[in-house]
Amino acid sequence: MTTSLLSTADDLHARTRAGRRAVVMTMGALHEGHATLVRAAREIAGPDGEVVVTVFVNPLQFGAGEDLDRYPRTLDADVKLAEQAGADVVFAPSVDEVYPGGEPQVRIAAGPMGERLEGGSRPGHFDGMLTVVAKLLHLTRPDVALFGQKDAQQLALIRRMVRDLNFGVEIVAVPTVREDDGLALSSRNRYLSATERRTALTLSQALFAGRDRHAAQEALRARAREVPATHARAEALSALGESRAAADAHAVAKAAPGAAAAVRAAARLVLDEGVRMDPPLRLDYLALVDPADFTEIGDDFTGEAVLAVAARVGTTRLIDNLPLTFGAAS
């Protein structure tokens, strides 16, 4: 397969389409995480469909002091990786092609969800992101668009925009791809020195600690539901590593599913270690949120949640997250 490199929407629209078109939107500097998205798109589009990878560094997403100028541009390598992963087209428009006449006066507003977490740290970022996603959806006209779960808040906002504004496109989420040491793949990882990378690992390690605490609590609750409310139930809970004082069956039955506070605390302990490292981790936020609106969940929450973290190591800002499911109480 030879991947076509196109720079105008007219050239893209002139292509003959036999099946579904699947689009993967990127800002370039492609890595294995992007390749995973492209391979997923290839599977969805099928042999008769078309996979389009967009490469566009969107100036509207970068705030004052952010890394627009130094953001890596590696188009030749991007086309090669996209081709190897199964893309039919790399669509790399110019700024003038996407924003003819200059920055758009009419933009998509992310609303309250766009002001939380990443939006609080990067004012206006999500307005710019949604505006370019809307533009690229119109320019590429896909049947399905794929996005990585690493940018969980971005994914949630895109889904909300598509639903609220009746975009005729299916949004598919693809799980985060990690390096062997657990660090989430990101184009910004290349900025990290060896010592900074060691510190950066505390982000994923903190998430894993929160996940492990959550899993232990859910296992405890599941065992509690299976064992009759008798002395044997308390003994069973104790056997799972809980002290006898904490193994009262009634208390466990009434406990909040997953104990959100304990999940946050387990992750925080690891991040505190990162703060004491050299170079230090500079924590932006640690949050355990409802993906429907990115508000913090309470101890009575059940359902899908996202444990998210953002921090700086040196001059590099990194984000990561893990999905968690808090089971219903019996």
Side-chain angles (χ1 to χ4, degrees):
M1 173 189 295
T2 299
T3 298
S4 300
L5 175 61
L6 305 178
S7 61
T8 71
D10 286 344
D11 287 341
L12 184 60
H13 299 164
R15 290 177 61 89
T16 301
R17 295 176 56 180
R20 302 179 81 197
R21 174 178 285 171
V23 165
V24 174
M25 297 184 187
T26 82
M27 293 206 299
L30 303 189
H31 49 65
E32 180 58 26
H34 297 109
T36 299
L37 285 165
V38 177
R39 287 192 290 267
R42 179 79 272 161
E43 184 174 349
I44 289 172
D48 296 328
E50 183 179 59
V51 173
V52 177
V53 176
T54 70
V55 174
F56 180 68
V57 181
N58 179 32
L60 301 189
Q61 290 176 233
F62 291 80
E66 293 189 335
D67 54 359
L68 173 61
D69 291 337
R70 72 166 184 154
Y71 196 89
R73 278 112 169 138
T74 57
L75 184 58
D76 290 343
D78 294 343
V79 172
K80 183 176 179 180
L81 184 147
E83 183 171 88
Q84 291 172 344
D88 298 290
V89 176
V90 169
F91 177 55
S94 66
V95 173
D96 288 340
E97 178 74 11
V98 178
Y99 302 123
E103 291 191 3
Q105 296 187 36
V106 177
R107 308 188 186 192
I108 302 292
M113 182 164 46
E115 298 171 358
R116 301 177 184 127
L117 299 187
E118 284 298 291
S121 298
R122 305 174 67 190
H125 166 73
F126 284 126
D127 292 354
M129 179 277 294
L130 289 179
T131 298
V132 78
V133 168
K135 290 278 290 186
L136 289 172
L137 287 175
H138 290 313
L139 290 171
T140 60
R141 302 175 184 174
D143 300 289
V144 57
L146 296 87
F147 297 90
Q149 289 182 342
K150 186 178 81 71
D151 297 298
Q153 193 170 2
Q154 169 181 287
L155 172 63
L157 282 162
I158 291 170
R159 281 177 161 161
R160 190 72 192 221
M161 177 185 73
V162 166
R163 181 170 67 251
D164 287 355
L165 301 183
N166 299 103
F167 280 71
V169 61
E170 178 186 358
I171 303 299
V172 172
V174 177
T176 300
V177 178
R178 299 185 178 278
E179 300 192 40
D180 291 341
D181 58 9
L183 189 67
L185 280 175
S186 170
S187 301
R188 289 188 169 96
N189 291 353
R190 68 184 67 194
Y191 300 148
L192 297 170
S193 68
T195 55
E196 288 172 341
R197 187 183 176 90
R198 285 196 292 270
T199 299
L201 286 175
T202 57
L203 271 74
S204 56
Q205 290 166 354
L207 296 179
F208 299 155
R211 178 195 61 191
D212 292 347
R213 179 59 180 166
H214 168 266
Q217 291 172 316
E218 290 291 330
L220 177 64
R221 288 189 52 82
R223 184 66 177 270
R225 291 194 294 268
E226 294 172 0
V227 180
T230 64
H231 178 69
R233 184 175 187 178
E235 288 184 342
L237 295 172
S238 293
L240 287 174
E242 299 292 324
S243 69
R244 289 186 181 276
D248 173 75
H250 179 74
V252 172
K254 296 299 183 182
V263 172
R264 293 186 184 96
R268 174 73 66 170
L269 281 175
V270 178
L271 293 172
D272 287 345
E273 294 177 5
V275 170
R276 294 189 292 269
M277 294 177 71
D278 182 22
L281 184 79
R282 289 181 289 154
L283 183 65
D284 190 345
Y285 61 76
L286 171 70
L288 184 55
V289 299
D290 182 344
D293 57 11
F294 268 69
T295 57
E296 291 281 352
I297 66 171
D299 283 338
D300 59 347
F301 181 86
T302 61
E304 300 297 319
V306 174
L307 181 62
V309 64
R312 287 187 182 274
V313 182
T315 60
T316 304
R317 188 174 186 276
L318 301 170
I319 63 172
D320 201 351
N321 72 84
L322 279 179
L324 301 174
T325 300
F326 288 76
S330 58

